[in-house]
Each structure stands twice: as structure tokens, then as C-alpha cells.
Amino acid sequence: DAKTTQPPSMDCAEGRAANLPCNHSTISGNEYVYWYRQIHSQGPQYIIHGLKNNETNEMASLIITEDRKSSTLILPHATLRDTAVYYCIVRATGFGNEKLTFGTGTRLTIIP
Amino acid sequence: NAGVTQTPKFQVLKTGQSMTLQCAQDMNHEYMSWYRQDPGMGLRLIHYSVGAGITDQGEVPNGYNVSRSTTEDFPLRLLSAAPSQTSVYFCASRTTSGLPSYEQYFGPGTRLTVT
């Protein structure tokens, strides 16, 4: 699996957009980018995933660069409940590719 | 749907004791897995299963056993607890059918302390 690099921590003001970067310079053509978050000590929660096109859902947007070597997760209007550790994961799908490697993620703190 | 449920929420064991952490899901997911999370670290895969009767090892399987006799249940057994197994244990499930997806659903976790 391709390795990902994320900043260990970030702050964002409440109501502003939170932009979380992820570097995955060794990503392969069949590998997707997934984002999960873990609020306090709860189980991780899936946010979004993408292959090469930008994606948007009700939680966030995912912007993947054209060369696919990096991506940005955008929380458009951050709230205090978005304070969490955010994990960027790169993984090929399909049988035999079951391991999901979480790394240490980015601790995002939303400031009132 | 209850989603993924885990019991117990908290457990304290003495070194050498054995116990089973329970995990159940009601989403008819084929794939289930167990992770452990140590303080300040990411999740590490212990064991996983792609269907009833099929299990395989993850990256940290030593000291743990699993079995999958039904689609719904995936218990994790600690054979002889050691202090190094003090951790938070998460169970997860996902479907393996449909479009390529890796959306896993996680349980609330079991906090285990081994003294």
C-alpha cells in the first residue's frame, strides 16, 4: 500500500472551512483515497473516498490532485463536533486487499 | 439497524486469564475484522474474515484467536492475557459486494486492561 503523510495537528475556527492535506506520492493507479475520522475514543467513522475525480457528500469534499500524489479533505463549515483525528488511507479494493492501515492521522481541533 | 455492537465495553483481566470479546453486526456484511488501538496510535489489524468459515491473520495476530460460524458474529478470543494486550479493541464490518468501496462500520470498542 502507498504510504500517506499527514500533519500531526491542525486548528480551525468554528464556521470556517477546514482543509486537511494528505500526501500519497507513491499511490498506484488502482488505489483509492479514503478518509475516516475518530471522535474522542469512539470507533472510526467513514467520511468519503475517491479514485481520481473530486468527490462530495453530505459530510465533506475530497479534492485529489491531477497527478493523484496528494489530496485535501474539506469540511466546509466546521463545527465543534468536527473535532477529531482524521485519517487518510490509500488502498486498493478487492479480495486479498483487506488490511486498512490507519497511521496516526491529523488531530483537528475546532476553536470556538 | 443496531449496526456493529461490541460487548463488554470495559474489561479488566489478570495476566494469564482468557476471555472472549464479542462482536455482532446486523447488516448482513460479509467482511468483519478486529483492530486494536494503543494510546496515541492508529489502528492495527488483528484478524479478519471474508465470510462464515473463513478467517485470516492481520498484522498483529499473536495471542488472539477468531472464528466465524455465522455471518453476524465474529468473536475475538484472548488465549492467555498479557499486559501488552492492554488496548482498545474495535470490531468492524463492511459489504464486499457492489461498487468498489471500503466503507467500514466500526463498533464502539472494548477497553481492555490486563494487570
PDB file of all heavy atoms in Angstrom, chain A residues 32 34 36 38 41-44 46 49 87 93 97-100 102-103, chain B residues 31 35 37 42-43 45 48 90 94 96 100-104 106-107 111:
ATOM      1  N   TYR A  32      -7.446   3.683  -4.164  1.00  0.00           N
ATOM      2  CA  TYR A  32      -8.366   4.739  -3.793  1.00  0.00           C
ATOM      3  C   TYR A  32      -7.808   5.496  -2.585  1.00  0.00           C
ATOM      4  O   TYR A  32      -7.030   4.973  -1.792  1.00  0.00           O
ATOM      5  CB  TYR A  32      -9.722   4.141  -3.404  1.00  0.00           C
ATOM      6  CG  TYR A  32     -10.548   3.655  -4.568  1.00  0.00           C
ATOM      7  CD1 TYR A  32     -10.204   2.496  -5.255  1.00  0.00           C
ATOM      8  CD2 TYR A  32     -11.701   4.327  -4.961  1.00  0.00           C
ATOM      9  CE1 TYR A  32     -10.964   2.044  -6.318  1.00  0.00           C
ATOM     10  CE2 TYR A  32     -12.475   3.880  -6.012  1.00  0.00           C
ATOM     11  CZ  TYR A  32     -12.098   2.740  -6.685  1.00  0.00           C
ATOM     12  OH  TYR A  32     -12.858   2.291  -7.731  1.00  0.00           O
ATOM     13  N   TYR A  34      -9.121   7.107   0.894  1.00  0.00           N
ATOM     14  CA  TYR A  34     -10.238   7.072   1.834  1.00  0.00           C
ATOM     15  C   TYR A  34      -9.932   8.001   3.011  1.00  0.00           C
ATOM     16  O   TYR A  34      -8.783   8.129   3.415  1.00  0.00           O
ATOM     17  CB  TYR A  34     -10.438   5.660   2.394  1.00  0.00           C
ATOM     18  CG  TYR A  34     -10.792   4.634   1.359  1.00  0.00           C
ATOM     19  CD1 TYR A  34      -9.810   3.970   0.633  1.00  0.00           C
ATOM     20  CD2 TYR A  34     -12.123   4.317   1.104  1.00  0.00           C
ATOM     21  CE1 TYR A  34     -10.131   3.026  -0.324  1.00  0.00           C
ATOM     22  CE2 TYR A  34     -12.452   3.380   0.142  1.00  0.00           C
ATOM     23  CZ  TYR A  34     -11.456   2.741  -0.555  1.00  0.00           C
ATOM     24  OH  TYR A  34     -11.788   1.810  -1.509  1.00  0.00           O
ATOM     25  N   TYR A  36     -11.274   8.677   6.999  1.00  0.00           N
ATOM     26  CA  TYR A  36     -12.051   8.318   8.172  1.00  0.00           C
ATOM     27  C   TYR A  36     -11.741   9.334   9.267  1.00  0.00           C
ATOM     28  O   TYR A  36     -10.722  10.006   9.225  1.00  0.00           O
ATOM     29  CB  TYR A  36     -11.662   6.925   8.687  1.00  0.00           C
ATOM     30  CG  TYR A  36     -12.279   5.771   7.958  1.00  0.00           C
ATOM     31  CD1 TYR A  36     -11.818   5.404   6.695  1.00  0.00           C
ATOM     32  CD2 TYR A  36     -13.315   5.031   8.521  1.00  0.00           C
ATOM     33  CE1 TYR A  36     -12.389   4.339   6.019  1.00  0.00           C
ATOM     34  CE2 TYR A  36     -13.890   3.967   7.851  1.00  0.00           C
ATOM     35  CZ  TYR A  36     -13.417   3.632   6.607  1.00  0.00           C
ATOM     36  OH  TYR A  36     -13.981   2.577   5.927  1.00  0.00           O
ATOM     37  N   GLN A  38     -12.030   9.819  13.763  1.00  0.00           N
ATOM     38  CA  GLN A  38     -12.289   9.184  15.050  1.00  0.00           C
ATOM     39  C   GLN A  38     -12.496  10.285  16.074  1.00  0.00           C
ATOM     40  O   GLN A  38     -11.569  11.045  16.383  1.00  0.00           O
ATOM     41  CB  GLN A  38     -11.133   8.277  15.456  1.00  0.00           C
ATOM     42  CG  GLN A  38     -11.417   7.443  16.677  1.00  0.00           C
ATOM     43  CD  GLN A  38     -10.325   6.434  16.957  1.00  0.00           C
ATOM     44  OE1 GLN A  38      -9.194   6.604  16.553  1.00  0.00           O
ATOM     45  NE2 GLN A  38     -10.677   5.362  17.670  1.00  0.00           N
ATOM     46  N   SER A  41     -12.837   8.784  21.705  1.00  0.00           N
ATOM     47  CA  SER A  41     -12.422   7.391  21.757  1.00  0.00           C
ATOM     48  C   SER A  41     -13.432   6.468  21.086  1.00  0.00           C
ATOM     49  O   SER A  41     -13.448   5.265  21.339  1.00  0.00           O
ATOM     50  CB  SER A  41     -12.228   6.971  23.206  1.00  0.00           C
ATOM     51  OG  SER A  41     -11.235   7.746  23.822  1.00  0.00           O
ATOM     52  N   GLN A  42     -14.252   7.050  20.210  1.00  0.00           N
ATOM     53  CA  GLN A  42     -15.243   6.236  19.533  1.00  0.00           C
ATOM     54  C   GLN A  42     -14.603   5.432  18.403  1.00  0.00           C
ATOM     55  O   GLN A  42     -13.440   5.649  18.049  1.00  0.00           O
ATOM     56  CB  GLN A  42     -16.339   7.124  18.953  1.00  0.00           C
ATOM     57  CG  GLN A  42     -17.088   7.940  19.983  1.00  0.00           C
ATOM     58  CD  GLN A  42     -18.090   8.877  19.325  1.00  0.00           C
ATOM     59  OE1 GLN A  42     -18.484   8.690  18.176  1.00  0.00           O
ATOM     60  NE2 GLN A  42     -18.500   9.901  20.053  1.00  0.00           N
ATOM     61  N   GLY A  43     -15.353   4.538  17.802  1.00  0.00           N
ATOM     62  CA  GLY A  43     -14.881   3.828  16.632  1.00  0.00           C
ATOM     63  C   GLY A  43     -14.758   4.771  15.451  1.00  0.00           C
ATOM     64  O   GLY A  43     -15.519   5.731  15.337  1.00  0.00           O
ATOM     65  N   PRO A  44     -13.788   4.540  14.564  1.00  0.00           N
ATOM     66  CA  PRO A  44     -13.637   5.402  13.392  1.00  0.00           C
ATOM     67  C   PRO A  44     -14.911   5.436  12.554  1.00  0.00           C
ATOM     68  O   PRO A  44     -15.674   4.476  12.506  1.00  0.00           O
ATOM     69  CB  PRO A  44     -12.484   4.752  12.628  1.00  0.00           C
ATOM     70  CG  PRO A  44     -11.707   4.028  13.669  1.00  0.00           C
ATOM     71  CD  PRO A  44     -12.738   3.538  14.650  1.00  0.00           C
ATOM     72  N   TYR A  46     -16.406   6.412   8.675  1.00  0.00           N
ATOM     73  CA  TYR A  46     -16.097   6.679   7.277  1.00  0.00           C
ATOM     74  C   TYR A  46     -16.599   8.063   6.881  1.00  0.00           C
ATOM     75  O   TYR A  46     -17.698   8.476   7.275  1.00  0.00           O
ATOM     76  CB  TYR A  46     -16.760   5.614   6.405  1.00  0.00           C
ATOM     77  CG  TYR A  46     -16.838   5.933   4.934  1.00  0.00           C
ATOM     78  CD1 TYR A  46     -15.778   5.701   4.093  1.00  0.00           C
ATOM     79  CD2 TYR A  46     -17.998   6.494   4.397  1.00  0.00           C
ATOM     80  CE1 TYR A  46     -15.858   5.992   2.734  1.00  0.00           C
ATOM     81  CE2 TYR A  46     -18.086   6.792   3.049  1.00  0.00           C
ATOM     82  CZ  TYR A  46     -17.012   6.539   2.221  1.00  0.00           C
ATOM     83  OH  TYR A  46     -17.089   6.837   0.888  1.00  0.00           O
ATOM     84  N   HIS A  49     -14.512   8.729  -0.005  1.00  0.00           N
ATOM     85  CA  HIS A  49     -13.397   8.145  -0.725  1.00  0.00           C
ATOM     86  C   HIS A  49     -13.457   8.567  -2.193  1.00  0.00           C
ATOM     87  O   HIS A  49     -14.512   8.999  -2.681  1.00  0.00           O
ATOM     88  CB  HIS A  49     -13.368   6.616  -0.606  1.00  0.00           C
ATOM     89  CG  HIS A  49     -14.405   5.901  -1.408  1.00  0.00           C
ATOM     90  ND1 HIS A  49     -15.705   5.766  -0.971  1.00  0.00           N
ATOM     91  CD2 HIS A  49     -14.347   5.285  -2.603  1.00  0.00           C
ATOM     92  CE1 HIS A  49     -16.401   5.074  -1.863  1.00  0.00           C
ATOM     93  NE2 HIS A  49     -15.604   4.772  -2.876  1.00  0.00           N
ATOM     94  N   TYR A  87      -8.027  10.459   9.489  1.00  0.00           N
ATOM     95  CA  TYR A  87      -7.094   9.514   8.882  1.00  0.00           C
ATOM     96  C   TYR A  87      -7.265   9.490   7.365  1.00  0.00           C
ATOM     97  O   TYR A  87      -8.387   9.317   6.869  1.00  0.00           O
ATOM     98  CB  TYR A  87      -7.323   8.108   9.405  1.00  0.00           C
ATOM     99  CG  TYR A  87      -7.104   7.921  10.889  1.00  0.00           C
ATOM    100  CD1 TYR A  87      -8.173   7.938  11.777  1.00  0.00           C
ATOM    101  CD2 TYR A  87      -5.833   7.726  11.400  1.00  0.00           C
ATOM    102  CE1 TYR A  87      -7.978   7.754  13.138  1.00  0.00           C
ATOM    103  CE2 TYR A  87      -5.628   7.539  12.748  1.00  0.00           C
ATOM    104  CZ  TYR A  87      -6.701   7.555  13.620  1.00  0.00           C
ATOM    105  OH  TYR A  87      -6.491   7.367  14.957  1.00  0.00           O
ATOM    106  N   THR A  93      -8.877  -1.819  -3.730  1.00  0.00           N
ATOM    107  CA  THR A  93     -10.030  -2.606  -3.290  1.00  0.00           C
ATOM    108  C   THR A  93      -9.977  -3.991  -3.902  1.00  0.00           C
ATOM    109  O   THR A  93      -9.227  -4.260  -4.823  1.00  0.00           O
ATOM    110  CB  THR A  93     -11.345  -1.928  -3.701  1.00  0.00           C
ATOM    111  OG1 THR A  93     -11.357  -1.777  -5.125  1.00  0.00           O
ATOM    112  CG2 THR A  93     -11.461  -0.570  -3.064  1.00  0.00           C
ATOM    113  N   ASN A  97      -7.072  -7.624  -0.456  1.00  0.00           N
ATOM    114  CA  ASN A  97      -6.603  -6.301  -0.040  1.00  0.00           C
ATOM    115  C   ASN A  97      -7.429  -5.840   1.145  1.00  0.00           C
ATOM    116  O   ASN A  97      -8.123  -4.839   1.079  1.00  0.00           O
ATOM    117  CB  ASN A  97      -6.741  -5.308  -1.189  1.00  0.00           C
ATOM    118  CG  ASN A  97      -5.858  -5.670  -2.357  1.00  0.00           C
ATOM    119  OD1 ASN A  97      -4.719  -6.055  -2.191  1.00  0.00           O
ATOM    120  ND2 ASN A  97      -6.389  -5.543  -3.546  1.00  0.00           N
ATOM    121  N   GLU A  98      -7.367  -6.592   2.224  1.00  0.00           N
ATOM    122  CA  GLU A  98      -8.304  -6.332   3.312  1.00  0.00           C
ATOM    123  C   GLU A  98      -7.754  -5.412   4.384  1.00  0.00           C
ATOM    124  O   GLU A  98      -8.494  -4.835   5.146  1.00  0.00           O
ATOM    125  CB  GLU A  98      -8.724  -7.652   3.967  1.00  0.00           C
ATOM    126  CG  GLU A  98      -9.231  -8.706   3.004  1.00  0.00           C
ATOM    127  CD  GLU A  98     -10.376  -8.217   2.151  1.00  0.00           C
ATOM    128  OE1 GLU A  98     -11.040  -7.244   2.543  1.00  0.00           O
ATOM    129  OE2 GLU A  98     -10.616  -8.793   1.082  1.00  0.00           O
ATOM    130  N   LYS A  99      -6.426  -5.287   4.441  1.00  0.00           N
ATOM    131  CA  LYS A  99      -5.870  -4.529   5.549  1.00  0.00           C
ATOM    132  C   LYS A  99      -6.058  -3.040   5.336  1.00  0.00           C
ATOM    133  O   LYS A  99      -5.722  -2.507   4.293  1.00  0.00           O
ATOM    134  CB  LYS A  99      -4.391  -4.845   5.714  1.00  0.00           C
ATOM    135  CG  LYS A  99      -3.780  -4.252   6.972  1.00  0.00           C
ATOM    136  CD  LYS A  99      -2.352  -4.751   7.175  1.00  0.00           C
ATOM    137  CE  LYS A  99      -1.399  -4.140   6.189  1.00  0.00           C
ATOM    138  NZ  LYS A  99       0.010  -4.514   6.499  1.00  0.00           N
ATOM    139  N   LEU A 100      -6.609  -2.380   6.317  1.00  0.00           N
ATOM    140  CA  LEU A 100      -6.806  -0.936   6.270  1.00  0.00           C
ATOM    141  C   LEU A 100      -5.811  -0.336   7.249  1.00  0.00           C
ATOM    142  O   LEU A 100      -5.939  -0.508   8.445  1.00  0.00           O
ATOM    143  CB  LEU A 100      -8.246  -0.611   6.665  1.00  0.00           C
ATOM    144  CG  LEU A 100      -8.845   0.716   6.192  1.00  0.00           C
ATOM    145  CD1 LEU A 100      -8.877   0.783   4.690  1.00  0.00           C
ATOM    146  CD2 LEU A 100     -10.250   0.875   6.748  1.00  0.00           C
ATOM    147  N   PHE A 102      -4.262   2.607   9.203  1.00  0.00           N
ATOM    148  CA  PHE A 102      -4.753   3.909   9.635  1.00  0.00           C
ATOM    149  C   PHE A 102      -3.671   4.939   9.881  1.00  0.00           C
ATOM    150  O   PHE A 102      -3.915   6.119   9.793  1.00  0.00           O
ATOM    151  CB  PHE A 102      -5.611   3.749  10.885  1.00  0.00           C
ATOM    152  CG  PHE A 102      -7.028   3.393  10.575  1.00  0.00           C
ATOM    153  CD1 PHE A 102      -7.375   2.104  10.230  1.00  0.00           C
ATOM    154  CD2 PHE A 102      -8.024   4.356  10.605  1.00  0.00           C
ATOM    155  CE1 PHE A 102      -8.692   1.776   9.918  1.00  0.00           C
ATOM    156  CE2 PHE A 102      -9.341   4.036  10.296  1.00  0.00           C
ATOM    157  CZ  PHE A 102      -9.669   2.750   9.960  1.00  0.00           C
ATOM    158  N   GLY A 103      -2.487   4.600  10.247  1.00  0.00           N
ATOM    159  CA  GLY A 103      -1.483   5.602  10.571  1.00  0.00           C
ATOM    160  C   GLY A 103      -1.881   6.384  11.814  1.00  0.00           C
ATOM    161  O   GLY A 103      -2.727   5.942  12.587  1.00  0.00           O
TER     162      GLY A 103
ATOM    163  N   TYR B  31     -17.739  -9.120   5.298  1.00  0.00           N
ATOM    164  CA  TYR B  31     -16.410  -8.891   5.854  1.00  0.00           C
ATOM    165  C   TYR B  31     -16.510  -8.359   7.274  1.00  0.00           C
ATOM    166  O   TYR B  31     -17.264  -7.415   7.549  1.00  0.00           O
ATOM    167  CB  TYR B  31     -15.660  -7.891   4.975  1.00  0.00           C
ATOM    168  CG  TYR B  31     -14.306  -7.484   5.496  1.00  0.00           C
ATOM    169  CD1 TYR B  31     -13.181  -8.242   5.241  1.00  0.00           C
ATOM    170  CD2 TYR B  31     -14.157  -6.318   6.234  1.00  0.00           C
ATOM    171  CE1 TYR B  31     -11.935  -7.871   5.719  1.00  0.00           C
ATOM    172  CE2 TYR B  31     -12.923  -5.926   6.713  1.00  0.00           C
ATOM    173  CZ  TYR B  31     -11.819  -6.705   6.446  1.00  0.00           C
ATOM    174  OH  TYR B  31     -10.580  -6.334   6.917  1.00  0.00           O
ATOM    175  N   TYR B  35      -9.559  -4.810  15.207  1.00  0.00           N
ATOM    176  CA  TYR B  35      -8.407  -3.927  15.319  1.00  0.00           C
ATOM    177  C   TYR B  35      -8.114  -3.692  16.794  1.00  0.00           C
ATOM    178  O   TYR B  35      -8.993  -3.759  17.641  1.00  0.00           O
ATOM    179  CB  TYR B  35      -8.681  -2.564  14.682  1.00  0.00           C
ATOM    180  CG  TYR B  35      -8.826  -2.561  13.186  1.00  0.00           C
ATOM    181  CD1 TYR B  35     -10.054  -2.808  12.588  1.00  0.00           C
ATOM    182  CD2 TYR B  35      -7.743  -2.263  12.364  1.00  0.00           C
ATOM    183  CE1 TYR B  35     -10.197  -2.790  11.213  1.00  0.00           C
ATOM    184  CE2 TYR B  35      -7.874  -2.230  10.981  1.00  0.00           C
ATOM    185  CZ  TYR B  35      -9.100  -2.499  10.420  1.00  0.00           C
ATOM    186  OH  TYR B  35      -9.238  -2.458   9.052  1.00  0.00           O
ATOM    187  N   GLN B  37      -6.175  -0.591  19.200  1.00  0.00           N
ATOM    188  CA  GLN B  37      -5.634   0.765  19.171  1.00  0.00           C
ATOM    189  C   GLN B  37      -4.974   1.056  20.498  1.00  0.00           C
ATOM    190  O   GLN B  37      -5.633   1.108  21.532  1.00  0.00           O
ATOM    191  CB  GLN B  37      -6.720   1.797  18.884  1.00  0.00           C
ATOM    192  CG  GLN B  37      -6.180   3.209  18.728  1.00  0.00           C
ATOM    193  CD  GLN B  37      -7.233   4.202  18.285  1.00  0.00           C
ATOM    194  OE1 GLN B  37      -8.403   4.079  18.668  1.00  0.00           O
ATOM    195  NE2 GLN B  37      -6.852   5.177  17.471  1.00  0.00           N
ATOM    196  N   GLY B  42      -2.446   4.652  15.720  1.00  0.00           N
ATOM    197  CA  GLY B  42      -3.526   4.266  14.825  1.00  0.00           C
ATOM    198  C   GLY B  42      -4.005   2.856  15.121  1.00  0.00           C
ATOM    199  O   GLY B  42      -3.552   2.210  16.065  1.00  0.00           O
ATOM    200  N   LEU B  43      -4.939   2.389  14.307  1.00  0.00           N
ATOM    201  CA  LEU B  43      -5.496   1.051  14.490  1.00  0.00           C
ATOM    202  C   LEU B  43      -4.634   0.015  13.767  1.00  0.00           C
ATOM    203  O   LEU B  43      -4.165   0.251  12.657  1.00  0.00           O
ATOM    204  CB  LEU B  43      -6.923   0.994  13.923  1.00  0.00           C
ATOM    205  CG  LEU B  43      -8.025   1.571  14.814  1.00  0.00           C
ATOM    206  CD1 LEU B  43      -7.962   3.088  14.848  1.00  0.00           C
ATOM    207  CD2 LEU B  43      -9.388   1.103  14.318  1.00  0.00           C
ATOM    208  N   LEU B  45      -4.614  -4.049  12.488  1.00  0.00           N
ATOM    209  CA  LEU B  45      -5.494  -5.173  12.198  1.00  0.00           C
ATOM    210  C   LEU B  45      -4.992  -6.444  12.869  1.00  0.00           C
ATOM    211  O   LEU B  45      -3.833  -6.824  12.717  1.00  0.00           O
ATOM    212  CB  LEU B  45      -5.583  -5.371  10.681  1.00  0.00           C
ATOM    213  CG  LEU B  45      -6.519  -6.466  10.178  1.00  0.00           C
ATOM    214  CD1 LEU B  45      -7.967  -6.114  10.493  1.00  0.00           C
ATOM    215  CD2 LEU B  45      -6.335  -6.657   8.670  1.00  0.00           C
ATOM    216  N   TYR B  48      -9.177 -10.950  10.432  1.00  0.00           N
ATOM    217  CA  TYR B  48     -10.333 -10.569   9.651  1.00  0.00           C
ATOM    218  C   TYR B  48     -10.981 -11.809   9.045  1.00  0.00           C
ATOM    219  O   TYR B  48     -10.387 -12.902   9.026  1.00  0.00           O
ATOM    220  CB  TYR B  48      -9.975  -9.558   8.554  1.00  0.00           C
ATOM    221  CG  TYR B  48      -9.059 -10.086   7.474  1.00  0.00           C
ATOM    222  CD1 TYR B  48      -9.570 -10.617   6.299  1.00  0.00           C
ATOM    223  CD2 TYR B  48      -7.674 -10.023   7.625  1.00  0.00           C
ATOM    224  CE1 TYR B  48      -8.732 -11.090   5.306  1.00  0.00           C
ATOM    225  CE2 TYR B  48      -6.825 -10.493   6.637  1.00  0.00           C
ATOM    226  CZ  TYR B  48      -7.364 -11.019   5.479  1.00  0.00           C
ATOM    227  OH  TYR B  48      -6.531 -11.489   4.491  1.00  0.00           O
ATOM    228  N   PHE B  90     -11.481  -2.653  18.559  1.00  0.00           N
ATOM    229  CA  PHE B  90     -12.601  -2.275  17.705  1.00  0.00           C
ATOM    230  C   PHE B  90     -12.901  -3.395  16.712  1.00  0.00           C
ATOM    231  O   PHE B  90     -11.997  -3.960  16.095  1.00  0.00           O
ATOM    232  CB  PHE B  90     -12.289  -1.004  16.918  1.00  0.00           C
ATOM    233  CG  PHE B  90     -12.216   0.232  17.752  1.00  0.00           C
ATOM    234  CD1 PHE B  90     -10.994   0.767  18.125  1.00  0.00           C
ATOM    235  CD2 PHE B  90     -13.379   0.880  18.161  1.00  0.00           C
ATOM    236  CE1 PHE B  90     -10.924   1.914  18.894  1.00  0.00           C
ATOM    237  CE2 PHE B  90     -13.319   2.024  18.931  1.00  0.00           C
ATOM    238  CZ  PHE B  90     -12.087   2.543  19.300  1.00  0.00           C
ATOM    239  N   ARG B  94     -18.039  -4.640   6.784  1.00  0.00           N
ATOM    240  CA  ARG B  94     -18.383  -3.976   5.532  1.00  0.00           C
ATOM    241  C   ARG B  94     -18.900  -5.014   4.545  1.00  0.00           C
ATOM    242  O   ARG B  94     -18.654  -6.205   4.700  1.00  0.00           O
ATOM    243  CB  ARG B  94     -17.193  -3.242   4.922  1.00  0.00           C
ATOM    244  CG  ARG B  94     -16.075  -4.149   4.438  1.00  0.00           C
ATOM    245  CD  ARG B  94     -14.966  -3.345   3.772  1.00  0.00           C
ATOM    246  NE  ARG B  94     -13.826  -4.166   3.408  1.00  0.00           N
ATOM    247  CZ  ARG B  94     -13.667  -4.760   2.229  1.00  0.00           C
ATOM    248  NH1 ARG B  94     -14.589  -4.618   1.299  1.00  0.00           N
ATOM    249  NH2 ARG B  94     -12.599  -5.477   1.980  1.00  0.00           N
ATOM    250  N   THR B  96     -18.867  -6.734   0.809  1.00  0.00           N
ATOM    251  CA  THR B  96     -17.872  -6.965  -0.229  1.00  0.00           C
ATOM    252  C   THR B  96     -18.519  -7.022  -1.607  1.00  0.00           C
ATOM    253  O   THR B  96     -17.879  -7.354  -2.587  1.00  0.00           O
ATOM    254  CB  THR B  96     -17.117  -8.287   0.003  1.00  0.00           C
ATOM    255  OG1 THR B  96     -18.058  -9.355   0.064  1.00  0.00           O
ATOM    256  CG2 THR B  96     -16.316  -8.233   1.290  1.00  0.00           C
ATOM    257  N   PRO B 100     -16.867  -0.740  -5.963  1.00  0.00           N
ATOM    258  CA  PRO B 100     -15.686  -0.688  -5.107  1.00  0.00           C
ATOM    259  C   PRO B 100     -15.896   0.289  -3.963  1.00  0.00           C
ATOM    260  O   PRO B 100     -16.216   1.444  -4.169  1.00  0.00           O
ATOM    261  CB  PRO B 100     -14.592  -0.207  -6.059  1.00  0.00           C
ATOM    262  CG  PRO B 100     -15.034  -0.661  -7.398  1.00  0.00           C
ATOM    263  CD  PRO B 100     -16.537  -0.531  -7.363  1.00  0.00           C
ATOM    264  N   SER B 101     -15.767  -0.217  -2.799  1.00  0.00           N
ATOM    265  CA  SER B 101     -15.995   0.630  -1.636  1.00  0.00           C
ATOM    266  C   SER B 101     -15.206   0.081  -0.476  1.00  0.00           C
ATOM    267  O   SER B 101     -14.918  -1.099  -0.419  1.00  0.00           O
ATOM    268  CB  SER B 101     -17.479   0.683  -1.283  1.00  0.00           C
ATOM    269  OG  SER B 101     -17.686   1.412  -0.089  1.00  0.00           O
ATOM    270  N   TYR B 102     -14.833   0.944   0.405  1.00  0.00           N
ATOM    271  CA  TYR B 102     -14.146   0.469   1.584  1.00  0.00           C
ATOM    272  C   TYR B 102     -14.739   1.110   2.821  1.00  0.00           C
ATOM    273  O   TYR B 102     -14.050   1.382   3.782  1.00  0.00           O
ATOM    274  CB  TYR B 102     -12.647   0.767   1.503  1.00  0.00           C
ATOM    275  CG  TYR B 102     -11.814  -0.388   1.977  1.00  0.00           C
ATOM    276  CD1 TYR B 102     -11.337  -1.329   1.088  1.00  0.00           C
ATOM    277  CD2 TYR B 102     -11.531  -0.543   3.319  1.00  0.00           C
ATOM    278  CE1 TYR B 102     -10.576  -2.381   1.534  1.00  0.00           C
ATOM    279  CE2 TYR B 102     -10.778  -1.603   3.776  1.00  0.00           C
ATOM    280  CZ  TYR B 102     -10.295  -2.523   2.879  1.00  0.00           C
ATOM    281  OH  TYR B 102      -9.544  -3.571   3.305  1.00  0.00           O
ATOM    282  N   GLU B 103     -16.046   1.341   2.748  1.00  0.00           N
ATOM    283  CA  GLU B 103     -16.702   1.963   3.893  1.00  0.00           C
ATOM    284  C   GLU B 103     -16.911   0.914   4.961  1.00  0.00           C
ATOM    285  O   GLU B 103     -17.776   0.047   4.826  1.00  0.00           O
ATOM    286  CB  GLU B 103     -18.043   2.564   3.490  1.00  0.00           C
ATOM    287  CG  GLU B 103     -18.772   3.217   4.661  1.00  0.00           C
ATOM    288  CD  GLU B 103     -20.065   3.878   4.255  1.00  0.00           C
ATOM    289  OE1 GLU B 103     -20.364   3.898   3.034  1.00  0.00           O
ATOM    290  OE2 GLU B 103     -20.764   4.376   5.140  1.00  0.00           O
ATOM    291  N   GLN B 104     -16.112   0.982   5.985  1.00  0.00           N
ATOM    292  CA  GLN B 104     -16.250   0.074   7.104  1.00  0.00           C
ATOM    293  C   GLN B 104     -17.051   0.740   8.213  1.00  0.00           C
ATOM    294  O   GLN B 104     -16.925   1.937   8.440  1.00  0.00           O
ATOM    295  CB  GLN B 104     -14.884  -0.330   7.655  1.00  0.00           C
ATOM    296  CG  GLN B 104     -14.092  -1.236   6.738  1.00  0.00           C
ATOM    297  CD  GLN B 104     -13.063  -2.047   7.481  1.00  0.00           C
ATOM    298  OE1 GLN B 104     -13.266  -3.221   7.774  1.00  0.00           O
ATOM    299  NE2 GLN B 104     -11.945  -1.420   7.797  1.00  0.00           N
ATOM    300  N   PHE B 106     -17.683   0.688  12.207  1.00  0.00           N
ATOM    301  CA  PHE B 106     -16.983   0.283  13.413  1.00  0.00           C
ATOM    302  C   PHE B 106     -17.927   0.227  14.604  1.00  0.00           C
ATOM    303  O   PHE B 106     -18.869   1.009  14.716  1.00  0.00           O
ATOM    304  CB  PHE B 106     -15.855   1.272  13.725  1.00  0.00           C
ATOM    305  CG  PHE B 106     -14.650   1.090  12.852  1.00  0.00           C
ATOM    306  CD1 PHE B 106     -14.610   1.629  11.582  1.00  0.00           C
ATOM    307  CD2 PHE B 106     -13.560   0.356  13.311  1.00  0.00           C
ATOM    308  CE1 PHE B 106     -13.492   1.459  10.774  1.00  0.00           C
ATOM    309  CE2 PHE B 106     -12.443   0.181  12.502  1.00  0.00           C
ATOM    310  CZ  PHE B 106     -12.417   0.736  11.236  1.00  0.00           C
ATOM    311  N   GLY B 107     -17.612  -0.697  15.503  1.00  0.00           N
ATOM    312  CA  GLY B 107     -18.315  -0.748  16.775  1.00  0.00           C
ATOM    313  C   GLY B 107     -17.763   0.281  17.741  1.00  0.00           C
ATOM    314  O   GLY B 107     -16.782   0.962  17.443  1.00  0.00           O
ATOM    315  N   ARG B 111     -12.673  -1.572  25.935  1.00  0.00           N
ATOM    316  CA  ARG B 111     -11.460  -1.116  26.605  1.00  0.00           C
ATOM    317  C   ARG B 111     -10.994  -2.181  27.556  1.00  0.00           C
ATOM    318  O   ARG B 111     -11.656  -2.457  28.552  1.00  0.00           O
ATOM    319  CB  ARG B 111     -11.714   0.209  27.305  1.00  0.00           C
ATOM    320  CG  ARG B 111     -11.751   1.350  26.339  1.00  0.00           C
ATOM    321  CD  ARG B 111     -12.749   2.440  26.699  1.00  0.00           C
ATOM    322  NE  ARG B 111     -12.832   3.445  25.648  1.00  0.00           N
ATOM    323  CZ  ARG B 111     -13.557   3.307  24.538  1.00  0.00           C
ATOM    324  NH1 ARG B 111     -14.269   2.229  24.333  1.00  0.00           N
ATOM    325  NH2 ARG B 111     -13.553   4.268  23.635  1.00  0.00           N
TER     326      ARG B 111
END
